[in-house]
Amino acid sequence: MEKRRIIIVGAGPAGLACAIFLRRAGENPLVLEKSATPDSKPCGGGLTPRAVRRIKKVGLNLFIGQPFHQVECNAEPWHYNLFTTRLPALHIVRRADLNRSLREEAERAGVEVRRARVLRVRHDAPGFSLQTDTGDFACEILAAADGAASRVRRSLSGSVPRLAYAAMVDEVRTDRVPDRVIFDGGQVMPAGYGWVFPYGDGATNAGVFNLGTPATGTMRGLLDRYVQARLSTDSRGRRVTGGIGVWGVYRLPTRVPALLLGDAGGFLDPLTGEGIYQALFTGRAAAESILAGGPAGARAAYERRTALLRANYRLIAKLTDWAYRHPREGGRLLGLPFVHYPLTEALLRGMNTSMIALGAPAWLLLSLARPVLLGHDHLSRMPPERAEALYKKSKKV
């Protein structure tokens, strides 16, 4: 049995970010990854302003893709909102490109990544033992970043209260590929949304996201219908990536001092489906907690560092339940200036849901003093020729 002080399971954004920060601090963690290229998941590659800001703040040299200044947020068939912003509203990157740049950053830091599929984990107080398909390991500190279906979390009797589902097709090239980011809610999905995320080079990915199992149909069937309606092409002949997401934050026995990062910990944002920011945030928080708390105090330190993120999820859960039960009202609210002005200002400055809700008046004043929203159009209130012109509008602002 090979013994190590720190083992991280999973070489995605959360696991590698944690390993990079630990290595920079002089630690020598071992990363176990079951796949040669852990890129196969239904991830649109959307980097929000707060994700881009965090990447730069912590000194990660990552490829962040193409910036987009126009976003549609629709509640079909009632409301069609097109927003144009001064600062990039979203960066779209191919997930394989993001992961490749992260692996290169890990190599530069000297992180050791080993191919191994974890089969079983046991808490042998005070440490852990891991059985893998390439041998057995023991460690003092264990961090799990092995995705929504985390083997580590399940082996240690952990759980996450809620599920989400997603399905995606990638590298779609048609004459209907837009020059803006699109979110379609309302009747598109029973409790979620469809998305179109263009890469800026004539290709796009498109997918559907739903909280829980769809009441009617399957995710594949919903994806087929959405891609046909939005992009006028057939997804049935294309490779479809599907999977689950867990949200609501993990529950783990108090006696188990493991750290659950990113998707493994249920840190998916249920309202937007965002997960890359949470992966980077929890990866950094885990590294700092391990350095500060050691084997005995790492989990307590980690939960202190993620306390605000957890509190934010409690508010998001309530907003999500309301938004997906009332898409028509939500779309109407999004079209009101005193709602979308402070919302746009706060989001583009990297604020989370709680900060936006608590500081709405301040964000409204700031949006009037230094607006980042250049324009807002109600597509559903326009003549067809005007709406078509906006669809063809250049992304330059």
Side-chain angles (χ1 to χ4, degrees):
M1 178 179 289
E2 183 175 347
K3 296 182 179 180
R4 302 293 290 258
R5 171 172 157 78
I6 304 168
I7 289 180
I8 300 168
V9 180
L16 286 184
C18 181
I20 290 168
F21 297 130
L22 286 171
R23 194 75 185 93
R24 288 176 179 177
E27 294 285 354
N28 188 28
L30 172 64
V31 179
L32 302 179
E33 169 55 47
K34 65 182 180 181
S35 173
T37 54
D39 302 324
S40 181
K41 63 178 296 183
C43 175
L47 296 176
T48 60
R50 64 176 178 172
V52 173
R53 186 173 289 109
R54 175 152 291 272
I55 288 170
K56 295 177 179 179
K57 179 179 179 181
V58 299
L60 291 175
N61 183 26
L62 304 184
F63 181 71
I64 60 174
Q66 177 78 15
F68 284 85
H69 294 261
Q70 289 188 316
V71 179
E72 275 190 48
C73 295
N74 305 320
E76 294 190 347
W78 312 286
H79 302 283
Y80 298 82
N81 298 296
L82 177 66
F83 299 94
T84 303
T85 60
R86 177 173 56 84
L87 301 175
L90 209 64
H91 282 73
I92 306 299
V93 60
R94 289 174 171 84
R95 181 60 185 265
D97 290 340
L98 176 68
N99 283 0
R100 181 168 53 253
S101 66
L102 191 54
R103 289 193 293 269
E104 291 170 353
E105 186 82 344
E107 290 174 5
R108 286 191 290 269
V111 173
E112 181 182 359
V113 180
R114 196 176 303 179
R115 286 283 302 279
R117 180 184 297 272
V118 174
L119 305 175
R120 185 168 178 265
V121 179
R122 188 171 64 243
H123 177 217
D124 299 325
F128 298 88
S129 60
L130 294 83
Q131 179 186 356
T132 79
D133 60 352
T134 61
D136 296 339
F137 298 85
C139 64
E140 298 177 28
I141 301 172
L142 177 64
D146 51 340
S150 171
R151 175 77 66 175
V152 175
R153 184 187 68 234
R154 289 181 287 137
S155 291
L156 297 175
S157 301
S159 64
V160 178
R162 301 193 186 188
L163 293 177
Y165 295 84
M168 186 188 85
V169 291
D170 203 0
E171 297 298 331
V172 179
R173 294 179 182 272
T174 77
D175 57 5
R176 291 288 301 275
V177 171
D179 57 7
R180 67 208 174 281
V181 173
I182 298 174
F183 293 95
D184 289 316
Q187 294 184 359
V188 175
M189 291 294 291
Y193 61 85
W195 80 78
V196 178
F197 284 5
Y199 295 120
D201 58 4
T204 187
N205 70 68
V208 288
F209 174 85
N210 197 71
L211 298 183
T213 305
T216 58
T218 64
M219 293 298 293
R220 177 61 187 264
L222 291 169
L223 176 66
D224 290 342
R225 291 195 292 274
Y226 179 66
V227 171
Q228 181 64 50
R230 177 50 90 171
L231 298 174
S232 297
T233 189
D234 196 340
S235 67
R236 286 176 290 184
R238 303 177 184 273
R239 179 175 177 267
V240 172
T241 306
I244 64 168
V246 290
W247 61 281
V249 184
Y250 67 86
R251 296 168 181 169
L252 195 64
T254 55
R255 62 180 179 79
V256 179
L259 310 184
L260 302 183
L261 285 55
D263 289 344
F267 288 101
L268 176 76
D269 186 317
L271 188 61
T272 66
E274 182 184 14
I276 297 175
Y277 166 80
Q278 290 83 349
L280 297 173
F281 182 94
T282 55
R284 176 65 179 268
E288 293 174 342
S289 301
I290 291 169
L291 295 170
R299 179 177 170 183
Y302 178 63
E303 295 189 347
R304 285 195 299 271
R305 282 176 168 80
T306 57
L308 290 178
L309 194 61
R310 293 162 176 271
N312 189 54
Y313 277 118
R314 286 193 286 271
L315 175 60
I316 288 177
K318 295 179 181 179
L319 289 175
T320 300
D321 289 340
W322 181 89
Y324 289 134
R325 284 199 310 268
H326 304 89
R328 187 170 187 169
E329 291 80 0
R332 181 182 297 133
L333 281 174
L334 198 60
L336 299 175
F338 66 85
V339 174
H340 64 243
Y341 269 105
L343 183 64
T344 303
E345 186 72 45
L347 287 175
L348 291 178
R349 292 181 180 274
M351 299 300 106
N352 62 34
T353 308
S354 300
M355 292 180 179
I356 294 171
L358 293 174
W363 298 122
L364 179 58
L365 291 174
L366 186 58
S367 70
L368 296 174
R370 190 185 176 192
V372 293
L373 183 63
L374 295 180
H376 169 248
D377 295 301
H378 299 276
L379 298 181
S380 55
R381 297 180 184 175
M382 295 179 182
E385 60 273 13
R386 169 62 175 152
E388 183 64 23
L390 279 172
Y391 277 119
K392 296 178 179 179
K393 184 178 179 181
S394 169
K395 64 178 176 290
K396 295 181 181 180
V397 296

